[in-house]
Amino acid sequence: MRLVTKNMTTKEIVIKEKNYSLEKIKDMTEMSEILKSHIIKHKLYTPISGRNYVHVEGWQFAGGLLGLTPLVVSIQDLSKTGEIKYMATVEIINKLGVVIGRGFSICSNKETKKKSFDEYAILSMAQTRSLGKAYRNIIGWVIKMAGYESTPAEEIPKEKT
């Protein structure tokens, strides 16, 4: 991960390369502070029932710090008469292209808050949810270390707000 900072004394831009490792607790502690700051600065969380849940963009940022990339590997149309329903599968790959995690999720227009959604939005939400789930399975504990709930915001029903 490339960190760009500005030295306030000399006004010089400093670029540091940092590769975080899931195996090193010191790295994860340092990363959780960067993550927390980024999530707050960019408002990448939603408070629900008194707890803060990170948006999928926050999970992607955390994955990026670790060199992890999401890849949508399948979409299944599970629609039937009167229902638009999709299931998505996302894999998380490391810098070497090795699959290290996977997430599955479904979205349907039968959900309370999705009744008026167009088909593309149902499909998109299935992908978004599975992406968050895939990251959660690998780095949920790091998100928790940063002070947030380990469930992606997109998985929490909005009626609980």
Side-chain angles (χ1 to χ4, degrees), residues 13-102:
I13 303 271
V14 179
I15 298 174
K16 294 191 289 186
E17 293 289 332
K18 175 67 178 178
N19 294 312
Y20 293 100
S21 172
L22 278 169
E23 291 82 28
K24 297 178 182 174
I25 192 69
K26 184 178 178 184
D27 278 5
M28 294 301 91
T29 302
E30 181 182 321
M31 188 183 119
S32 71
E33 291 301 316
I34 292 167
L35 184 57
K36 182 176 186 172
S37 175
H38 180 79
I39 289 168
I40 290 169
K41 180 179 179 182
H42 297 284
K43 298 181 178 100
L44 298 178
Y45 69 94
T46 298
I48 302 172
S49 299
R51 296 180 176 177
N52 293 325
Y53 295 84
V54 178
H55 300 173
V56 75
E57 295 85 0
W59 288 88
Q60 289 173 306
F61 180 75
L65 289 172
L66 292 162
L68 305 177
T69 305
L71 179 65
V72 177
V73 294
S74 73
I75 300 291
Q76 290 180 290
D77 186 348
L78 305 175
S79 302
K80 47 190 169 186
T81 305
E83 181 179 23
I84 301 168
K85 185 176 185 180
Y86 284 95
M87 182 171 92
T89 303
V90 169
E91 292 178 341
I92 303 295
I93 58 173
N94 65 15
K95 294 175 190 172
L96 301 173
V98 176
V99 175
I100 63 164
R102 190 172 283 119

Side-chain angles (χ1 to χ4, degrees), residues 101-153:
R102 190 172 283 119
F104 307 88
S105 191
I106 293 174
C107 188
S108 165
N109 68 336
K110 296 287 185 181
E111 297 174 33
T112 304
K113 299 288 184 173
K114 307 286 186 262
K115 291 186 185 303
S116 65
F117 278 38
D118 291 329
E119 185 171 358
Y120 77 90
I122 299 295
L123 172 59
S124 180
M125 181 52 78
Q127 291 177 65
T128 299
R129 287 176 177 171
S130 61
L131 191 152
K133 177 63 83 176
Y135 274 125
R136 177 192 183 185
N137 292 337
I138 302 166
I139 59 173
W141 64 277
V142 179
I143 295 289
K144 192 73 172 171
M145 187 185 277
Y148 298 94
E149 293 303 312
S150 62
T151 303

